[in-house]
Amino acid sequence: MSHADRDSASTEAVPVVVAEALVKRYGPVVALQDLSLEIRRGEVFGLLGPNGSGKTTFIRMLAGYLAPTRGKLLVSGLDVVHDALQARRRLGYVPEAAPLYGHMQVREFLAFMGRLRGLSAADLKGAVERVVDRLSLGDVMRKPTRALSRGYRQRVAIAQALIHDPEIIVLDEPTNGLDPRQIIEVRELVRSLAGTHTVIMSSHILTEVGRVADRVAILLDGKLRGVRTLAETPDLEDWFLSLA
Amino acid sequence: MNALVVLLRKELHATFTSPIGYVLAAVFLLVLGYTFSLTLFATKTANLIYIFHQMYVLSILLVPVLMMRSFAEERRADTLELLLTAPVREVWIVLAKFLAGLALVYGMYAGSLLYALILGLYGEPDWGPIYSGYLALMLHGALLVAIGLMTSSITENQVISAALSLGIALMLWFADSVSYLLPSPLDVVALNLSLIGHFRPMATGSVFVSDIGYYVTASAMALFLTTRWLHER
């Protein structure tokens, strides 16, 4: 689906991600318990919670890395288990560690990820130029990714998630380990994606989520404790403390 | 299929830019050259049977080290998460790593063709056992690569991966010895699992479909289990 198609279809009420009674167990440990929520097309959705609250587990299920133990998870109407490959095509995913192949140069890495996501040779060049321009990666294109600073690593990781122009961008703790200027750049990038893309980001930092998200969900001990718009809840800290 | 080509290119690039493969290939060929010279001067016989058995043993020792990085390193560096969340089937990821591993192992084996050439130039070898010996080595190498991938897929620790792979290969090697201790029909099962029992006939010139079937089935089984374990993550 092109941007134009998406824009015309873009309405705030249309859910692009639907979780129904989602459960994830690791042996006897319940990481996520009966989570049900809807994420709307075009919004920036923040998942907030302390470490171990189930944010990464949910995001990994959404990205197709983990399978739910029970329940249903739909991405653009596609089941992440039964229509896994199609669902993954709709997503761009940035894992928390921003993993890159150290032996590849930045341009090789982006081209590899583009091809892996099914871009043709004709589309690949334009797609790489687009993300390089958007993430200001021009200066490091010929550098091996293992030689990059933390900030550039994060930018390259975000670039690979955007390369196939996906409908949904999933960012797991995208500002972890970044300096203040890099944090501001990531925030600006996330806000610039809103509207044309649905952005789902997790964080354990209240202010991070508060500054970029349209709606916020709080997860505690694997349970969804509430979902609110930022307009409804200007003081996230009060809300979080009332639930914790 | 396009995904397989993309993944294979990436695997070949990673394999042939890492020094590990070159170091192990150098060790392999050095030991082999030493053995070839010694046996040729000692036996003055134009065949490669000793060399094939030497390659059989060296492969069991070295292929686990060559393959230990394949999935374990991806797991350690978190890049496995990138691969497994891309719109590609797990089987393509496994096959790409398998084919890249084969390319490296067969590249090492190809170095030994020089010995066959020397025998051809200076002697009159019986080429039948040489052809069947290389067939045995190709099947043997494929099985060891598949076992290496399998053990690498269950851990992020490369040493554990190599140790498990070596352990499985050694257990299969000595399975025929164990068969003498077992009651019927378990003795037949153990005997038929024997790695050397299926390698030796081909290495000495006798090609049986059952031996080829053993290697193909065992390799396919290891690749299948690798794919399942990745899928069940």
Side-chain angles (χ1 to χ4, degrees):
Chain A
M1 189 188 274
S2 72
H3 265 318
D5 296 335
R6 282 209 299 269
D7 290 345
S8 63
S10 175
T11 59
E12 282 197 1
V14 180
V16 73
V17 172
V18 178
E20 288 175 11
L22 206 58
V23 176
K24 182 63 188 178
R25 288 175 186 273
Y26 298 106
V29 179
V30 182
L32 214 57
Q33 197 173 328
D34 283 323
L35 183 139
S36 296
L37 62 78
E38 290 187 352
I39 298 171
R40 298 166 191 160
R41 192 182 300 280
E43 73 176 340
V44 177
F45 189 86
L47 281 167
L48 187 62
N51 293 330
S53 59
K55 304 185 301 292
T56 296
T57 298
F58 174 70
I59 275 182
R60 283 180 161 176
M61 284 196 283
L62 195 59
Y65 187 63
L66 295 174
T69 307
R70 214 173 54 227
K72 193 182 273 189
L73 184 55
L74 304 176
V75 171
S76 299
L78 299 160
D79 190 297
V80 295
V81 176
H82 299 111
D83 308 306
L85 298 190
Q86 286 195 55
R88 285 180 212 166
R89 283 196 186 96
R90 307 285 206 280
L91 283 166
Y93 171 47
V94 184
E96 183 178 355
L100 310 172
Y101 285 105
H103 67 276
M104 291 185 189
Q105 294 178 356
V106 171
R107 64 186 176 91
E108 291 171 335
F109 176 71
L110 293 177
F112 166 68
M113 293 306 294
R115 285 192 202 101
L116 203 59
R117 299 246 173 69
L119 291 181
S120 66
D123 294 337
L124 188 62
K125 193 167 176 283
V128 171
E129 280 173 7
R130 180 174 50 78
V131 293
V132 165
D133 189 42
R134 183 156 206 170
L135 276 302
S136 307
L137 293 170
D139 294 343
V140 295
M141 284 300 275
R142 291 191 179 274
K143 269 196 174 180
T145 63
R146 65 171 170 271
L148 297 177
S149 66
R150 178 72 180 90
Y152 267 116
R153 285 182 64 84
Q154 188 69 7
R155 279 198 233 173
V156 175
I158 295 173
Q160 64 79 25
L162 296 176
I163 198 148
H164 57 306
D165 195 17
E167 198 175 343
I168 303 162
I169 318 286
V170 183
L171 306 157
D172 193 6
E173 304 271 6
T175 55
N176 257 8
L178 299 185
D179 64 35
R181 203 178 66 181
Q182 292 162 344
I183 290 173
I184 292 167
E185 284 171 4
V186 170
R187 271 187 214 146
E188 284 171 356
L189 176 76
V190 169
R191 283 312 317 170
S192 74
L193 291 167
T196 53
H197 300 77
T198 306
V199 182
I200 301 163
M201 64 170 277
S202 76
S203 180
H204 61 278
I205 304 168
L206 285 163
T207 49
E208 276 320 306
V209 175
R211 286 184 187 235
V212 293
D214 299 310
R215 285 198 306 147
V216 177
I218 290 186
L219 282 171
L220 291 169
D221 300 324
K223 291 179 194 161
L224 179 67
R225 303 299 295 270
V227 182
R228 286 189 183 177
T229 63
L230 261 290
E232 285 172 334
T233 315
D235 195 336
L236 270 180
E237 196 173 323
D238 278 353
W239 181 41
F240 183 81
L241 289 173
S242 71
L243 295 170
Chain B
M1 188 57 86
N2 186 41
L4 176 62
V5 175
V6 174
L7 288 164
L8 181 58
R9 281 176 59 183
K10 172 233 163 202
E11 293 301 336
L12 289 172
H13 185 242
T15 302
F16 289 100
T17 51
S18 158
I20 296 175
Y22 293 109
V23 170
L24 291 180
V27 170
F28 182 83
L29 291 171
L30 194 69
V31 174
L32 219 54
Y34 178 71
T35 311
F36 175 72
S37 310
L38 277 185
T39 51
L40 191 62
F41 285 119
T43 65
K44 295 189 170 42
T45 313
N47 69 47
L48 289 179
I49 291 172
Y50 287 105
I51 289 295
F52 291 145
H53 281 88
Q54 179 85 50
M55 288 167 81
Y56 167 89
V57 176
L58 283 175
S59 299
I60 286 177
L61 296 175
L62 295 182
V63 173
V65 182
L66 284 174
M67 297 308 297
M68 67 184 185
R69 298 179 78 236
S70 47
F71 279 110
E73 176 62 16
E74 297 250 21
R75 213 179 274 279
R76 190 201 57 75
D78 291 320
T79 46
L80 193 59
E81 202 167 341
L82 284 182
L83 284 187
L84 294 175
T85 55
V88 291
R89 296 185 189 284
E90 285 88 350
V91 68
W92 295 138
I93 298 171
V94 173
L95 277 180
K97 287 187 180 292
F98 175 67
L99 293 174
L102 275 191
L104 183 58
V105 172
Y106 287 177
M108 280 180 6
Y109 291 170
S112 72
L113 290 171
L114 182 66
Y115 310 136
L117 188 69
I118 291 170
L119 292 186
L121 285 175
Y122 297 104
E124 290 180 353
D126 180 359
W127 288 101
I130 292 178
Y131 296 142
S132 68
Y134 275 107
L135 174 64
L137 277 174
M138 288 173 75
L139 292 167
H140 181 61
L143 176 56
L144 293 173
V145 168
I147 291 172
L149 268 186
M150 182 179 74
T151 58
S152 181
S153 71
I154 57 175
T155 176
E156 66 177 1
N157 186 313
Q158 297 183 22
V159 177
I160 292 175
S161 164
L164 284 175
S165 181
L166 179 65
I168 291 170
L170 290 175
M171 294 283 279
L172 287 175
W173 182 358
F174 298 122
D176 57 342
S177 308
V178 177
S179 73
Y180 297 115
L181 304 171
L182 295 173
S184 179
L186 291 175
D187 58 342
V188 179
V189 175
L191 198 61
N192 280 295
L193 283 175
S194 167
L195 204 53
I196 190 73
H198 293 283
F199 180 84
R200 192 184 292 121
M202 271 190 282
T204 52
S206 307
V207 178
F208 297 104
V209 174
S210 58
D211 294 332
I212 296 172
Y214 165 82
Y215 276 110
V216 172
T217 309
S219 303
M221 178 90 78
L223 293 177
F224 171 76
L225 288 175
T226 309
T227 310
R228 287 308 305 168
W229 284 333
L230 277 187
H231 192 74
E232 297 297 327
R233 59 190 173 269

